[in-house]
Amino acid sequence: MTRTHLSWPDTAYEAIKGDLTVAAAYLTPAGGAVVTSVSPVGLADRAANEVSFTTSLGFPKKLERILHNPRVSLAYHTRAHGFAAHSHYVLAQGRASVDLQPSAQRLAELMHASEPFLGRTKRGRVWDWLLREYHQDRVFIDVGLERIVTWPDLSAHGPSTVTGPSWPQHPAGQRPPKNGTTPRVPVSQLARQIAALPHRLLAYQGADGHPVILPVAVTGHDETGLRLTAPPELLAPGGRRAGFLAHAFRPQCVGVSMRTVTGWLTVKDGETVYAPHTSAGMAAPPSKTVMTVANGLLAKQGLRRAQRNGTTARLRDLAAQGPAHGSERHPDGT
């Protein structure tokens, strides 16, 4: 696949190389978007026009969806505990490839790159055994960038600067799901779960098929959903599937808390309502040692499960086949 070459703005490059935690969005077969947080530890090659992040075989659905539809986006939305100094909001959109079997050299380079962000890697016979799968069975997602958009403020207010193809018009509204658009999880419970999570983002499929990730504020809720605000010119009017992320983290990503939600977004008559349909969360203890042990054990468990249920072989087959024809489906999911 021939990749576009972009001349990255310096502000984008600083955020890409320096942000500790980034929001990543990928698309679902029905035309929705899922947005989650990742720690890319500065993995980027400006000359090659590529940014990267890693995941594990313990999250096969994410990998399957990216292999089916490689359009992904990354939002550099907070400077907290990172190295970039400015306050620009950066949205990077592109197409991903998945490296399911990275070389030993690449894995070693990842460990070296991660230490400024995540701290020194624990060493010793017990730690090496515990963290073997966590360090050695990583999956790289490499994103060839096609568009970079920057705003002068982390709230994405103000004039934007677009590098690459011009920003498309708003997408048309989508067909409602068969099971309806009303909330399927208790809204009041979700509001309590995200109350202490300061970083909130919304993602949906844009008119050109790339995910759009926007910073949002939650201003209230009732039985119909969460009330959201965002820069009005960036919210597509009408109804559509959308993903929502709320998260928090401390230095070196200790004490990570995250809640990922899918649901239905309605923008009408100056009001933005998000009806949640699914909700999943995690919270890591604010202890580096406890978190490291948990990461090691979860990686071992995830790899064994992937080998036992055939996930590894299935993902390799998907990677060999290339993106499915379904990746070109219309944004309404048809």
Side-chain angles (χ1 to χ4, degrees), residues 122-133 292-293 296-297 300:
K122 291 184 178 294
R123 302 286 187 180
R125 187 174 63 180
V126 174
W127 287 114
D128 291 348
W129 171 84
L130 178 65
L131 298 174
R132 182 178 58 218
E133 290 80 4
T292 302
V293 171
L297 294 175
K300 286 182 180 295

Side-chain angles (χ1 to χ4, degrees), residues 12-30:
Y13 180 67
E14 185 179 347
I16 288 169
K17 291 295 289 184
D19 279 4
L20 175 60
T21 297
V22 173
Y26 56 92
L27 300 169
T28 71

Side-chain angles (χ1 to χ4, degrees), residues 3 19 30 43-44 63 81 93 103 106 122 153 163 169 177 179 196 214 264 273 280-281 290 327:
R3 287 182 169 179
D19 279 4
L43 297 177
L63 292 167
H81 314 308
Q93 299 175 313
S103 66
R106 191 171 197 192
K122 291 184 178 294
D153 188 84
T163 303
Q169 297 294 318
N179 293 333
L214 303 176
W264 185 261
V273 180
V290 174
S327 67

Side-chain angles (χ1 to χ4, degrees), residues 29 63-70 318 321-328:
L63 292 167
E64 287 177 5
R65 286 178 170 173
I66 291 173
L67 287 167
H68 274 295
N69 188 337
L318 285 172
Q321 294 168 16
H325 294 298
S327 67
E328 304 299 327

Side-chain angles (χ1 to χ4, degrees), residues 205-273:
Q205 188 175 38
D208 62 355
H210 288 294
V212 176
I213 311 174
L214 303 176
V216 295
V218 178
T219 59
H221 68 277
D222 59 23
E223 68 279 359
T224 65
L226 301 176
R227 294 299 192 274
L228 305 180
T229 60
E233 69 276 9
L234 300 179
L235 282 173
R240 69 196 65 256
R241 300 173 190 267
F244 176 84
L245 167 69
H247 70 111
F249 59 100
R250 301 185 185 190
Q252 299 184 357
C253 278
V254 173
V256 171
S257 297
M258 178 173 63
R259 183 146 298 269
T260 56
V261 187
T262 64
W264 185 261
L265 177 71
T266 303
V267 180
K268 183 178 180 182
D269 299 330
E271 188 174 51
T272 302
V273 180

Side-chain angles (χ1 to χ4, degrees), residues 92-105:
Q93 299 175 313
R95 291 180 183 249
S97 59
V98 179
D99 185 357
L100 290 168
Q101 296 178 291
S103 66
Q105 178 181 347

